Amino acid sequence: MRRATLAVATVLTLAACAPAADVAPLPGGVADYQLGEPYPPAEDVTVVVRDSTTSPEPGVYSVCYVNAFQTQPGESVDPALLLTPDPAWPDEFLLDTAQRDALVDRVEDVLARCSTAGFDAVELDNLDSWTRSAGQLDRRDTLAVAAAMTDAAHARGLAVGQKNTPELTADEVADIGFDFAVAEECHEFDECAAYTDLHGDQVIAVEYTGTLTEICADPDRPAMTSLRDRELVAPGSPGYASEHC
């Protein structure tokens, strides 16, 4: 999810968070964040992130976007799992992380689709929902759900990305088992070190504001950093932008 907030990172330890041995790590190079309409990537692109309802791009490392902790707009979900709309994204409802088994079952269906389609990895979006829930969601419950979802993804051979959430400690990330991170606007919010200290070069960073020159000059910015339009539209569409460091 395109970020609306936050926060200050805890000092973290790189050694705690090596990728799981049985999943493929992110390659070096250029990542293209394609959560809008899919399109053929440029020749220098090595990683493509797309929604779980689409197909992976042949010949590159493909990450499957999964809205794990909130509903997709218009999605039909058991009403017993729904809390209030996300204040930042009112067309998405927060999901009750106290109901771990039901949330994992919901995501299992999406993980199966990602794996069958041929994706290499997943990013579990809205892990940070508890920070916007006004106390409705509990951090411990949320991280327990994330760990169960990560186990389920690893069982299918999928690497798992931490999505945003710079508040996590090294111990929490290691316990969950995240293999890499996807960070939105870490330069904008001065949070990039929270991800690179923890995941090294296993970080995809996406910025939506600023200039490429200032973003690339940030000493903490991840190696795979791009500047994209906030709506993530395809080339040829009004407003399209895609540049990388």
Side-chain angles (χ1 to χ4, degrees), residues 1-6 9 26 31 33 35 49 63 65 123-125 128 161-167 180-209 215 218 220-228 230 232:
M1 169 173 292
R2 272 119 24 225
R3 300 206 33 198
T5 47
L6 340 232
L26 293 174
Y33 207 54
L35 296 191
V49 183
V63 181
Y65 170 89
E123 63 159 293
L124 301 178
D125 196 17
D128 58 357
Q162 170 189 342
K163 182 64 177 291
N164 297 326
T165 326
E167 327 36 28
F180 64 98
V182 179
E184 292 175 293
E185 298 186 287
C186 71
H187 167 76
E188 175 70 16
F189 291 97
D190 195 23
E191 296 168 346
C192 292
Y195 305 103
T196 54
D197 286 354
L198 184 60
H199 294 282
D201 63 359
Q202 296 291 290
V203 181
I204 297 168
V206 186
E207 299 290 329
Y208 303 114
T209 59
I215 291 166
D218 183 346
D220 292 324
R221 62 98 178 156
M224 284 189 289
T225 296
S226 62
L227 176 61
R228 286 242 44 197
R230 192 173 290 275
L232 301 173

Short mmCIF file of all heavy atoms in Angstrom, two decimals, residues 1-6 9 26 31 33 35 49 63 65 123-125 128 161-167 180-209 215 218 220-228 230 232:
data_model
loop_
_atom_site.label_atom_id
_atom_site.label_comp_id
_atom_site.label_asym_id
_atom_site.label_seq_id
_atom_site.Cartn_x
_atom_site.Cartn_y
_atom_site.Cartn_z
N MET A 1 0.84 -1.19 0.00
CA MET A 1 0.00 0.00 0.00
C MET A 1 0.87 1.23 0.00
O MET A 1 1.86 1.28 0.71
CB MET A 1 -0.88 0.00 1.24
CG MET A 1 -1.59 1.31 1.46
SD MET A 1 -2.76 1.22 2.79
CE MET A 1 -3.94 0.12 2.05
N ARG A 2 0.47 2.22 -0.79
CA ARG A 2 1.19 3.46 -0.75
C ARG A 2 1.05 4.10 0.61
O ARG A 2 -0.05 4.24 1.12
CB ARG A 2 0.68 4.41 -1.84
CG ARG A 2 1.45 4.13 -3.09
CD ARG A 2 0.75 3.68 -4.30
NE ARG A 2 -0.59 3.92 -4.57
CZ ARG A 2 -1.37 2.95 -5.03
NH1 ARG A 2 -0.96 1.72 -5.13
NH2 ARG A 2 -2.59 3.20 -5.36
N ARG A 3 2.15 4.48 1.25
CA ARG A 3 2.17 4.84 2.65
C ARG A 3 1.55 6.19 2.94
O ARG A 3 1.61 7.08 2.15
CB ARG A 3 3.62 4.91 3.14
CG ARG A 3 4.33 3.62 3.00
CD ARG A 3 5.43 3.54 3.99
NE ARG A 3 5.05 4.25 5.18
CZ ARG A 3 5.91 4.64 6.07
NH1 ARG A 3 7.18 4.39 5.90
NH2 ARG A 3 5.54 5.27 7.15
N ALA A 4 0.98 6.30 4.11
CA ALA A 4 0.48 7.58 4.59
C ALA A 4 1.24 8.08 5.81
O ALA A 4 1.02 9.18 6.25
CB ALA A 4 -1.00 7.45 4.96
N THR A 5 2.10 7.29 6.41
CA THR A 5 2.78 7.61 7.66
C THR A 5 4.23 7.16 7.62
O THR A 5 4.66 6.60 6.65
CB THR A 5 2.07 6.90 8.84
OG1 THR A 5 1.83 5.56 8.52
CG2 THR A 5 0.76 7.60 9.15
N LEU A 6 4.95 7.07 8.59
CA LEU A 6 5.30 7.08 9.97
C LEU A 6 6.76 6.98 10.23
O LEU A 6 7.50 7.20 9.34
CB LEU A 6 4.71 5.95 10.69
CG LEU A 6 3.94 4.90 11.07
CD1 LEU A 6 3.42 5.00 12.43
CD2 LEU A 6 2.93 4.49 10.15
N ALA A 9 12.91 4.26 13.38
CA ALA A 9 13.37 2.87 13.39
C ALA A 9 14.14 2.54 14.65
O ALA A 9 14.79 3.37 15.24
CB ALA A 9 14.27 2.63 12.18
N LEU A 26 16.50 -11.98 -3.46
CA LEU A 26 16.40 -10.98 -4.51
C LEU A 26 17.72 -10.89 -5.28
O LEU A 26 18.79 -10.88 -4.67
CB LEU A 26 16.11 -9.60 -3.92
CG LEU A 26 14.77 -9.35 -3.24
CD1 LEU A 26 14.78 -7.96 -2.61
CD2 LEU A 26 13.62 -9.50 -4.21
N ALA A 31 14.45 -2.88 -9.70
CA ALA A 31 13.11 -3.36 -9.41
C ALA A 31 12.08 -2.43 -10.01
O ALA A 31 12.22 -1.20 -9.96
CB ALA A 31 12.89 -3.47 -7.90
N TYR A 33 8.05 -1.55 -9.77
CA TYR A 33 6.88 -1.74 -8.92
C TYR A 33 5.63 -1.52 -9.76
O TYR A 33 5.27 -0.38 -10.06
CB TYR A 33 6.96 -0.75 -7.76
CG TYR A 33 6.25 -1.18 -6.50
CD1 TYR A 33 6.54 -2.40 -5.91
CD2 TYR A 33 5.32 -0.35 -5.89
CE1 TYR A 33 5.90 -2.78 -4.74
CE2 TYR A 33 4.68 -0.72 -4.73
CZ TYR A 33 4.96 -1.94 -4.15
OH TYR A 33 4.34 -2.33 -2.99
N LEU A 35 2.06 -2.28 -9.47
CA LEU A 35 0.80 -2.66 -8.85
C LEU A 35 -0.42 -2.13 -9.59
O LEU A 35 -1.56 -2.48 -9.24
CB LEU A 35 0.76 -2.20 -7.39
CG LEU A 35 1.78 -2.85 -6.46
CD1 LEU A 35 1.47 -2.53 -5.01
CD2 LEU A 35 1.89 -4.34 -6.68
N VAL A 49 7.37 -6.40 -9.32
CA VAL A 49 6.33 -6.64 -8.32
C VAL A 49 4.98 -6.40 -8.98
O VAL A 49 4.75 -5.35 -9.57
CB VAL A 49 6.48 -5.70 -7.11
CG1 VAL A 49 5.43 -6.02 -6.05
CG2 VAL A 49 7.88 -5.78 -6.53
N VAL A 63 7.73 -10.79 -7.72
CA VAL A 63 7.16 -10.67 -6.38
C VAL A 63 5.66 -10.47 -6.50
O VAL A 63 5.20 -9.62 -7.27
CB VAL A 63 7.79 -9.50 -5.60
CG1 VAL A 63 7.19 -9.40 -4.19
CG2 VAL A 63 9.30 -9.65 -5.53
N TYR A 65 2.16 -9.33 -4.94
CA TYR A 65 1.58 -8.44 -3.93
C TYR A 65 0.35 -9.09 -3.31
O TYR A 65 -0.58 -9.51 -4.01
CB TYR A 65 1.19 -7.11 -4.56
CG TYR A 65 0.37 -6.23 -3.64
CD1 TYR A 65 0.98 -5.33 -2.78
CD2 TYR A 65 -1.03 -6.32 -3.63
CE1 TYR A 65 0.22 -4.53 -1.94
CE2 TYR A 65 -1.79 -5.52 -2.80
CZ TYR A 65 -1.16 -4.63 -1.95
OH TYR A 65 -1.91 -3.85 -1.11
N GLU A 123 4.98 -10.12 -1.11
CA GLU A 123 5.05 -9.05 -0.11
C GLU A 123 3.70 -9.02 0.60
O GLU A 123 2.65 -9.02 -0.04
CB GLU A 123 5.38 -7.70 -0.72
CG GLU A 123 4.38 -7.14 -1.69
CD GLU A 123 4.49 -5.62 -1.86
OE1 GLU A 123 4.20 -4.92 -0.89
OE2 GLU A 123 4.86 -5.19 -2.96
N LEU A 124 3.75 -9.04 1.93
CA LEU A 124 2.53 -9.08 2.74
C LEU A 124 2.19 -7.66 3.18
O LEU A 124 2.74 -7.15 4.16
CB LEU A 124 2.73 -10.00 3.95
CG LEU A 124 3.08 -11.46 3.62
CD1 LEU A 124 3.30 -12.24 4.91
CD2 LEU A 124 2.00 -12.12 2.76
N ASP A 125 1.28 -7.04 2.47
CA ASP A 125 1.01 -5.62 2.69
C ASP A 125 0.15 -5.39 3.92
O ASP A 125 -0.61 -6.25 4.36
CB ASP A 125 0.32 -5.03 1.47
CG ASP A 125 0.38 -3.50 1.46
OD1 ASP A 125 1.21 -2.94 2.20
OD2 ASP A 125 -0.40 -2.89 0.72
N ASP A 128 1.53 -3.03 8.95
CA ASP A 128 1.50 -1.92 9.90
C ASP A 128 0.08 -1.43 10.22
O ASP A 128 -0.09 -0.38 10.83
CB ASP A 128 2.34 -0.75 9.38
CG ASP A 128 1.89 -0.23 8.01
OD1 ASP A 128 0.94 -0.80 7.42
OD2 ASP A 128 2.49 0.74 7.53
N GLY A 161 8.46 -10.86 1.87
CA GLY A 161 8.96 -9.52 2.11
C GLY A 161 8.23 -8.82 3.25
O GLY A 161 7.00 -8.82 3.31
N GLN A 162 9.01 -8.23 4.13
CA GLN A 162 8.47 -7.29 5.12
C GLN A 162 8.00 -6.06 4.37
O GLN A 162 8.77 -5.43 3.64
CB GLN A 162 9.55 -6.90 6.12
CG GLN A 162 9.18 -5.76 7.05
CD GLN A 162 10.35 -5.26 7.87
OE1 GLN A 162 11.37 -5.96 8.01
NE2 GLN A 162 10.24 -4.06 8.41
N LYS A 163 6.77 -5.63 4.57
CA LYS A 163 6.26 -4.44 3.89
C LYS A 163 6.21 -3.28 4.86
O LYS A 163 5.49 -3.32 5.87
CB LYS A 163 4.88 -4.71 3.30
CG LYS A 163 4.28 -3.53 2.53
CD LYS A 163 5.14 -3.21 1.30
CE LYS A 163 4.53 -2.08 0.48
NZ LYS A 163 3.28 -2.46 -0.17
N ASN A 164 7.00 -2.25 4.58
CA ASN A 164 7.06 -1.06 5.43
C ASN A 164 7.31 -1.47 6.88
O ASN A 164 8.12 -2.33 7.14
CB ASN A 164 5.80 -0.22 5.24
CG ASN A 164 5.64 0.32 3.82
OD1 ASN A 164 6.63 0.64 3.16
ND2 ASN A 164 4.42 0.41 3.33
N THR A 165 6.69 -0.81 7.84
CA THR A 165 6.75 -1.15 9.27
C THR A 165 8.17 -1.05 9.83
O THR A 165 8.74 -2.03 10.32
CB THR A 165 6.16 -2.56 9.52
OG1 THR A 165 5.09 -2.81 8.63
CG2 THR A 165 5.67 -2.68 10.96
N PRO A 166 8.77 0.13 9.79
CA PRO A 166 10.13 0.28 10.32
C PRO A 166 10.21 0.13 11.83
O PRO A 166 11.31 0.06 12.39
CB PRO A 166 10.52 1.69 9.88
CG PRO A 166 9.22 2.42 9.76
CD PRO A 166 8.25 1.41 9.25
N GLU A 167 9.05 0.08 12.51
CA GLU A 167 9.07 -0.08 13.96
C GLU A 167 9.54 -1.46 14.42
O GLU A 167 9.85 -1.65 15.60
CB GLU A 167 7.72 0.08 14.59
CG GLU A 167 6.63 0.93 14.20
CD GLU A 167 6.22 1.29 12.86
OE1 GLU A 167 6.43 0.52 11.91
OE2 GLU A 167 5.64 2.36 12.74
N PHE A 180 13.26 -10.41 2.93
CA PHE A 180 13.65 -9.13 2.32
C PHE A 180 12.64 -8.09 2.77
O PHE A 180 11.76 -8.38 3.60
CB PHE A 180 13.74 -9.23 0.79
CG PHE A 180 12.44 -9.53 0.10
CD1 PHE A 180 11.68 -8.51 -0.47
CD2 PHE A 180 11.96 -10.83 -0.02
CE1 PHE A 180 10.49 -8.77 -1.13
CE2 PHE A 180 10.76 -11.10 -0.67
CZ PHE A 180 10.02 -10.08 -1.22
N ALA A 181 12.74 -6.89 2.24
CA ALA A 181 11.79 -5.83 2.59
C ALA A 181 11.38 -5.05 1.36
O ALA A 181 12.15 -4.92 0.41
CB ALA A 181 12.38 -4.88 3.63
N VAL A 182 10.16 -4.54 1.40
CA VAL A 182 9.67 -3.58 0.41
C VAL A 182 9.30 -2.32 1.19
O VAL A 182 8.42 -2.35 2.06
CB VAL A 182 8.44 -4.10 -0.34
CG1 VAL A 182 7.94 -3.05 -1.34
CG2 VAL A 182 8.76 -5.41 -1.07
N ALA A 183 9.99 -1.23 0.90
CA ALA A 183 9.82 0.00 1.68
C ALA A 183 9.34 1.12 0.77
O ALA A 183 10.00 1.45 -0.22
CB ALA A 183 11.14 0.39 2.33
N GLU A 184 8.21 1.70 1.12
CA GLU A 184 7.69 2.85 0.39
C GLU A 184 8.06 4.13 1.13
O GLU A 184 7.87 4.24 2.33
CB GLU A 184 6.18 2.76 0.25
CG GLU A 184 5.73 1.63 -0.67
CD GLU A 184 4.23 1.50 -0.69
OE1 GLU A 184 3.65 1.13 0.35
OE2 GLU A 184 3.63 1.78 -1.74
N GLU A 185 8.62 5.07 0.39
CA GLU A 185 8.93 6.41 0.88
C GLU A 185 9.87 6.42 2.09
O GLU A 185 9.76 7.26 2.96
CB GLU A 185 7.63 7.16 1.19
CG GLU A 185 6.75 7.34 -0.03
CD GLU A 185 5.54 8.20 0.23
OE1 GLU A 185 4.61 7.73 0.90
OE2 GLU A 185 5.55 9.36 -0.24
N CYS A 186 10.81 5.49 2.11
CA CYS A 186 11.75 5.49 3.24
C CYS A 186 12.67 6.71 3.18
O CYS A 186 13.09 7.22 4.23
CB CYS A 186 12.53 4.19 3.32
SG CYS A 186 13.77 3.88 2.04
N HIS A 187 13.00 7.18 1.99
CA HIS A 187 13.77 8.43 1.90
C HIS A 187 12.94 9.60 2.40
O HIS A 187 13.42 10.43 3.18
CB HIS A 187 14.23 8.67 0.46
CG HIS A 187 14.76 10.05 0.23
ND1 HIS A 187 16.01 10.45 0.65
CD2 HIS A 187 14.19 11.15 -0.35
CE1 HIS A 187 16.20 11.72 0.33
NE2 HIS A 187 15.11 12.17 -0.27
N GLU A 188 11.70 9.68 1.96
CA GLU A 188 10.82 10.78 2.35
C GLU A 188 10.68 10.88 3.86
O GLU A 188 10.66 11.98 4.42
CB GLU A 188 9.44 10.57 1.70
CG GLU A 188 8.38 11.58 2.10
CD GLU A 188 8.62 12.96 1.53
OE1 GLU A 188 9.42 13.09 0.58
OE2 GLU A 188 7.99 13.91 2.03
N PHE A 189 10.61 9.74 4.54
CA PHE A 189 10.40 9.74 5.99
C PHE A 189 11.68 9.44 6.77
O PHE A 189 11.62 9.20 7.98
CB PHE A 189 9.31 8.72 6.35
CG PHE A 189 7.94 9.13 5.88
CD1 PHE A 189 7.44 8.64 4.68
CD2 PHE A 189 7.18 10.03 6.60
CE1 PHE A 189 6.18 9.02 4.22
CE2 PHE A 189 5.92 10.41 6.16
CZ PHE A 189 5.42 9.91 4.97
N ASP A 190 12.84 9.44 6.08
CA ASP A 190 14.13 9.21 6.74
C ASP A 190 14.14 7.89 7.50
O ASP A 190 14.54 7.81 8.66
CB ASP A 190 14.46 10.38 7.67
CG ASP A 190 15.93 10.37 8.11
OD1 ASP A 190 16.76 9.78 7.39
OD2 ASP A 190 16.23 10.95 9.18
N GLU A 191 13.71 6.83 6.83
CA GLU A 191 13.60 5.50 7.45
C GLU A 191 14.44 4.43 6.75
O GLU A 191 14.40 3.27 7.15
CB GLU A 191 12.14 5.04 7.44
CG GLU A 191 11.20 5.89 8.25
CD GLU A 191 9.74 5.58 7.98
OE1 GLU A 191 9.44 4.90 6.97
OE2 GLU A 191 8.89 6.03 8.77
N CYS A 192 15.18 4.78 5.70
CA CYS A 192 15.81 3.74 4.88
C CYS A 192 16.76 2.86 5.68
O CYS A 192 16.86 1.65 5.43
CB CYS A 192 16.54 4.37 3.70
SG CYS A 192 15.44 5.14 2.47
N ALA A 193 17.47 3.45 6.64
CA ALA A 193 18.41 2.66 7.43
C ALA A 193 17.71 1.58 8.23
O ALA A 193 18.32 0.54 8.55
CB ALA A 193 19.22 3.56 8.35
N ALA A 194 16.44 1.78 8.57
CA ALA A 194 15.70 0.76 9.30
C ALA A 194 15.59 -0.53 8.50
O ALA A 194 15.46 -1.62 9.06
CB ALA A 194 14.30 1.27 9.66
N TYR A 195 15.65 -0.42 7.17
CA TYR A 195 15.56 -1.59 6.30
C TYR A 195 16.93 -2.08 5.87
O TYR A 195 17.20 -3.29 5.89
CB TYR A 195 14.69 -1.25 5.08
CG TYR A 195 13.33 -0.74 5.45
CD1 TYR A 195 13.04 0.62 5.37
CD2 TYR A 195 12.34 -1.59 5.92
CE1 TYR A 195 11.79 1.11 5.73
CE2 TYR A 195 11.09 -1.12 6.29
CZ TYR A 195 10.82 0.24 6.19
OH TYR A 195 9.60 0.71 6.56
N THR A 196 17.82 -1.17 5.47
CA THR A 196 19.13 -1.61 5.01
C THR A 196 19.99 -2.15 6.15
O THR A 196 20.78 -3.07 5.94
CB THR A 196 19.86 -0.47 4.29
OG1 THR A 196 19.93 0.68 5.14
CG2 THR A 196 19.14 -0.08 3.01
N ASP A 197 19.87 -1.60 7.35
CA ASP A 197 20.61 -2.15 8.49
C ASP A 197 20.20 -3.59 8.76
O ASP A 197 21.00 -4.40 9.23
CB ASP A 197 20.37 -1.32 9.75
CG ASP A 197 21.09 0.01 9.74
OD1 ASP A 197 21.88 0.26 8.80
OD2 ASP A 197 20.86 0.81 10.66
N LEU A 198 18.96 -3.88 8.47
CA LEU A 198 18.41 -5.20 8.77
C LEU A 198 18.56 -6.18 7.62
O LEU A 198 18.93 -7.33 7.81
CB LEU A 198 16.93 -5.03 9.10
CG LEU A 198 16.16 -6.28 9.53
CD1 LEU A 198 16.76 -6.87 10.80
CD2 LEU A 198 14.70 -5.92 9.77
N HIS A 199 18.28 -5.72 6.39
CA HIS A 199 18.21 -6.62 5.24
C HIS A 199 19.33 -6.42 4.22
O HIS A 199 19.36 -7.11 3.20
CB HIS A 199 16.86 -6.43 4.53
CG HIS A 199 15.67 -6.85 5.35
ND1 HIS A 199 15.30 -8.16 5.52
CD2 HIS A 199 14.78 -6.11 6.06
CE1 HIS A 199 14.21 -8.22 6.28
NE2 HIS A 199 13.88 -6.99 6.62
N GLY A 200 20.24 -5.48 4.47
CA GLY A 200 21.33 -5.27 3.53
C GLY A 200 20.83 -4.88 2.15
O GLY A 200 20.04 -3.94 2.00
N ASP A 201 21.28 -5.61 1.13
CA ASP A 201 20.86 -5.30 -0.24
C ASP A 201 19.54 -5.97 -0.62
O ASP A 201 19.09 -5.85 -1.76
CB ASP A 201 21.96 -5.68 -1.24
CG ASP A 201 22.26 -7.19 -1.27
OD1 ASP A 201 21.63 -7.96 -0.50
OD2 ASP A 201 23.14 -7.59 -2.06
N GLN A 202 18.91 -6.64 0.33
CA GLN A 202 17.64 -7.31 0.06
C GLN A 202 16.45 -6.39 0.37
O GLN A 202 15.56 -6.71 1.17
CB GLN A 202 17.54 -8.60 0.88
CG GLN A 202 18.58 -9.64 0.54
CD GLN A 202 18.35 -10.25 -0.84
OE1 GLN A 202 17.39 -10.99 -1.06
NE2 GLN A 202 19.22 -9.94 -1.79
N VAL A 203 16.47 -5.22 -0.26
CA VAL A 203 15.43 -4.21 -0.03
C VAL A 203 15.02 -3.60 -1.37
O VAL A 203 15.87 -3.20 -2.16
CB VAL A 203 15.91 -3.09 0.90
CG1 VAL A 203 14.79 -2.06 1.12
CG2 VAL A 203 16.40 -3.64 2.24
N ILE A 204 13.71 -3.55 -1.61
CA ILE A 204 13.14 -2.82 -2.73
C ILE A 204 12.55 -1.53 -2.16
O ILE A 204 11.70 -1.59 -1.26
CB ILE A 204 12.03 -3.62 -3.43
CG1 ILE A 204 12.60 -4.92 -4.02
CG2 ILE A 204 11.34 -2.78 -4.50
CD1 ILE A 204 11.52 -5.89 -4.48
N ALA A 205 12.99 -0.38 -2.63
CA ALA A 205 12.49 0.90 -2.14
C ALA A 205 11.81 1.66 -3.26
O ALA A 205 12.33 1.73 -4.38
CB ALA A 205 13.63 1.73 -1.56
N VAL A 206 10.66 2.23 -2.95
CA VAL A 206 9.88 2.99 -3.92
C VAL A 206 9.57 4.36 -3.33
O VAL A 206 9.04 4.45 -2.21
CB VAL A 206 8.56 2.27 -4.28
CG1 VAL A 206 7.84 3.01 -5.41
CG2 VAL A 206 8.81 0.83 -4.67
N GLU A 207 9.92 5.40 -4.06
CA GLU A 207 9.59 6.77 -3.66
C GLU A 207 8.56 7.33 -4.65
O GLU A 207 8.54 6.96 -5.83
CB GLU A 207 10.84 7.65 -3.67
CG GLU A 207 11.93 7.20 -2.71
CD GLU A 207 11.57 7.39 -1.25
OE1 GLU A 207 10.82 8.34 -0.94
OE2 GLU A 207 12.03 6.59 -0.42
N TYR A 208 7.73 8.25 -4.14
CA TYR A 208 6.69 8.86 -4.98
C TYR A 208 6.84 10.37 -5.11
O TYR A 208 6.14 10.99 -5.92
CB TYR A 208 5.30 8.54 -4.41
CG TYR A 208 5.04 7.06 -4.28
CD1 TYR A 208 4.87 6.46 -3.03
CD2 TYR A 208 4.94 6.24 -5.40
CE1 TYR A 208 4.64 5.11 -2.90
CE2 TYR A 208 4.71 4.87 -5.29
CZ TYR A 208 4.56 4.31 -4.02
OH TYR A 208 4.32 2.96 -3.90
N THR A 209 7.70 10.96 -4.31
CA THR A 209 7.91 12.40 -4.36
C THR A 209 9.40 12.70 -4.35
O THR A 209 10.22 11.83 -4.07
CB THR A 209 7.24 13.10 -3.15
OG1 THR A 209 7.80 12.56 -1.94
CG2 THR A 209 5.75 12.88 -3.15
N ILE A 215 17.13 11.73 -4.09
CA ILE A 215 16.87 10.39 -3.56
C ILE A 215 18.13 9.53 -3.66
O ILE A 215 18.53 8.87 -2.70
CB ILE A 215 15.70 9.73 -4.31
CG1 ILE A 215 14.39 10.45 -3.97
CG2 ILE A 215 15.60 8.25 -3.98
CD1 ILE A 215 13.24 10.10 -4.89
N ASP A 218 20.97 10.02 -1.11
CA ASP A 218 20.75 9.60 0.28
C ASP A 218 21.69 8.44 0.60
O ASP A 218 21.61 7.38 -0.02
CB ASP A 218 19.29 9.15 0.45
CG ASP A 218 18.93 8.76 1.87
OD1 ASP A 218 19.85 8.56 2.69
OD2 ASP A 218 17.73 8.63 2.15
N ASP A 220 21.70 6.35 2.90
CA ASP A 220 21.02 5.18 3.47
C ASP A 220 20.07 4.51 2.49
O ASP A 220 19.50 3.46 2.81
CB ASP A 220 20.22 5.59 4.71
CG ASP A 220 21.09 6.01 5.87
OD1 ASP A 220 22.18 5.43 6.04
OD2 ASP A 220 20.71 6.95 6.60
N ARG A 221 19.88 5.10 1.31
CA ARG A 221 18.87 4.54 0.42
C ARG A 221 19.29 3.15 -0.07
O ARG A 221 20.47 2.88 -0.32
CB ARG A 221 18.59 5.49 -0.74
CG ARG A 221 19.77 5.79 -1.66
CD ARG A 221 19.75 4.94 -2.90
NE ARG A 221 20.85 5.26 -3.79
CZ ARG A 221 21.34 4.41 -4.69
NH1 ARG A 221 20.83 3.22 -4.83
NH2 ARG A 221 22.35 4.78 -5.45
N PRO A 222 18.33 2.24 -0.20
CA PRO A 222 18.64 0.90 -0.69
C PRO A 222 19.17 0.92 -2.12
O PRO A 222 18.89 1.84 -2.89
CB PRO A 222 17.29 0.18 -0.61
CG PRO A 222 16.53 0.93 0.43
CD PRO A 222 16.95 2.37 0.26
N ALA A 223 19.91 -0.12 -2.47
CA ALA A 223 20.49 -0.19 -3.81
C ALA A 223 19.40 -0.22 -4.88
O ALA A 223 19.55 0.39 -5.94
CB ALA A 223 21.37 -1.43 -3.93
N MET A 224 18.31 -0.93 -4.61
CA MET A 224 17.20 -1.01 -5.57
C MET A 224 16.15 0.03 -5.20
O MET A 224 15.14 -0.28 -4.57
CB MET A 224 16.59 -2.42 -5.58
CG MET A 224 17.42 -3.42 -6.32
SD MET A 224 16.59 -5.02 -6.56
CE MET A 224 16.59 -5.64 -4.89
N THR A 225 16.40 1.28 -5.57
CA THR A 225 15.50 2.38 -5.27
C THR A 225 14.98 2.98 -6.56
O THR A 225 15.75 3.23 -7.49
CB THR A 225 16.20 3.47 -4.44
OG1 THR A 225 16.57 2.93 -3.17
CG2 THR A 225 15.29 4.67 -4.22
N SER A 226 13.67 3.21 -6.62
CA SER A 226 13.07 3.81 -7.81
C SER A 226 12.14 4.95 -7.42
O SER A 226 11.65 5.03 -6.28
CB SER A 226 12.29 2.76 -8.61
OG SER A 226 11.24 2.21 -7.85
N LEU A 227 11.92 5.84 -8.36
CA LEU A 227 10.97 6.93 -8.23
C LEU A 227 9.82 6.66 -9.19
O LEU A 227 10.03 6.57 -10.40
CB LEU A 227 11.63 8.26 -8.56
CG LEU A 227 10.74 9.51 -8.55
CD1 LEU A 227 10.13 9.74 -7.18
CD2 LEU A 227 11.53 10.73 -9.01
N ARG A 228 8.61 6.49 -8.63
CA ARG A 228 7.45 6.13 -9.44
C ARG A 228 6.32 7.11 -9.21
O ARG A 228 6.29 7.82 -8.20
CB ARG A 228 6.97 4.71 -9.05
CG ARG A 228 7.89 3.60 -9.57
CD ARG A 228 7.17 2.68 -10.52
NE ARG A 228 6.34 3.42 -11.48
CZ ARG A 228 5.37 2.84 -12.20
NH1 ARG A 228 5.12 1.54 -12.05
NH2 ARG A 228 4.65 3.55 -13.05
N ARG A 230 2.60 7.93 -8.06
CA ARG A 230 1.89 7.34 -6.93
C ARG A 230 0.79 6.37 -7.36
O ARG A 230 0.46 5.42 -6.65
CB ARG A 230 1.30 8.44 -6.04
CG ARG A 230 0.80 7.94 -4.70
CD ARG A 230 0.40 9.07 -3.79
NE ARG A 230 1.55 9.85 -3.34
CZ ARG A 230 2.30 9.53 -2.29
NH1 ARG A 230 2.04 8.43 -1.60
NH2 ARG A 230 3.32 10.29 -1.93
N LEU A 232 1.00 4.39 -9.93
CA LEU A 232 1.66 3.22 -10.52
C LEU A 232 1.03 2.83 -11.86
O LEU A 232 0.74 1.65 -12.12
CB LEU A 232 1.64 2.05 -9.54
CG LEU A 232 2.32 2.31 -8.19
CD1 LEU A 232 2.09 1.15 -7.24
CD2 LEU A 232 3.82 2.56 -8.37
#
